[in-house]
Amino acid sequence: MQGKTSSNVTWLSLEEFVKLSGMEEKKILKLIEEGAIKGRAQNGELFVDASSGADAIIKRVENNLVSADMSGNALDPMFVEKTINTILGLHDKVIAAKDETISAFKNENVFLKDALISMQEVYEDDKKLIETMRSELQYAREEIEFMKRKYRLMWGKVSGLSGNRHNQE
């Protein structure tokens, strides 16, 4: 599918729109200039909004039907059939583009959900690691305090022994 979608607008290339609508390219360009059809240029290529194009075609058909009815002319069945097929073709393009957009949003939501679950798992692992490191740090502090007391006692005995030697002499 060549149509591009962005924010619920289906963009068809000018060539594709000409094929679907059966209109002449000059008429389409004139309708774009008049603002009846939305168009945009991107990378040197002209794109047409399928929805506004369908609306413009429907208005053109309505005008033709009303003018044919007013003048008493019989409508050409081929014209009516071609117009209906054109409108149905544009409608199918719009629906397909919207389905594609919905699918893209669903895929993005699944990706974001998986990313959040993964981040939660990493957070839980980090939390466990931090708790383990805290307990190891507490154990190391207790051991350091024990060693300090042990060395104080040892130095106290040593200084006490050296003090006794001086007293004995």
Side-chain angles (χ1 to χ4, degrees):
M1 176 185 192
Q2 292 177 347
K4 309 239 186 284
T5 59
S6 64
S7 66
N8 297 333
V9 176
T10 303
W11 296 99
L12 301 173
S13 67
L14 180 61
E15 295 79 26
E16 191 174 8
F17 189 79
V18 167
K19 288 177 192 173
L20 285 171
S21 67
M23 294 174 66
E24 295 176 12
E25 189 173 320
K26 290 178 185 178
K27 287 183 181 179
I28 295 170
L29 292 173
K30 185 177 179 186
L31 288 171
I32 290 172
E33 286 177 23
E34 292 172 356
I37 297 177
K38 293 180 188 172
R40 76 171 185 197
Q42 183 178 2
N43 299 330
E45 190 175 358
L46 185 63
F47 289 93
V48 177
D49 174 22
S51 296
S52 69
D55 291 342
I57 291 172
I58 290 169
K59 285 178 187 171
R60 186 186 81 168
V61 170
E62 283 177 357
N63 291 339
N64 287 344
L65 291 174
V66 168
S67 64
D69 191 36
M70 295 282 209
S71 62
N73 296 335
L75 295 175
D76 181 16
M78 291 298 288
F79 168 75
V80 173
E81 185 178 338
K82 185 178 178 184
T83 302
I84 291 171
N85 286 336
T86 300
I87 293 169
L88 289 175
L90 287 172
H91 176 73
D92 289 343
K93 286 282 186 181
V94 170
I95 295 299
K98 288 185 179 187
D99 289 344
E100 188 177 304
T101 302
I102 289 170
S103 175
F105 281 136
K106 284 181 180 179
N107 289 340
E108 185 178 343
N109 285 343
V110 167
F111 171 76
L112 291 173
K113 178 183 170 187
D114 291 344
L116 283 172
I117 289 170
S118 177
M119 286 176 59
Q120 183 68 31
E121 289 171 354
V122 168
Y123 172 73
E124 292 296 325
D125 290 345
D126 287 349
K127 215 165 120 176
K128 288 176 186 175
L129 178 64
I130 289 171
E131 192 56 41
T132 302
M133 293 178 85
R134 279 187 180 145
S135 64
E136 286 180 12
L137 181 61
Q138 184 62 33
Y139 176 75
R141 285 181 181 156
E142 289 170 1
E143 194 169 319
I144 289 171
E145 281 300 315
F146 173 74
M147 295 298 271
K148 283 180 180 178
R149 286 193 303 263
K150 183 177 172 183
Y151 283 116
R152 280 189 210 128
L153 285 172
M154 280 178 44
W155 283 110
K157 285 184 181 178
V158 169
S159 64
L161 287 176
S162 64
N164 287 340
R165 273 193 201 159
H166 289 290
N167 290 339
Q168 290 174 356
E169 292 175 8

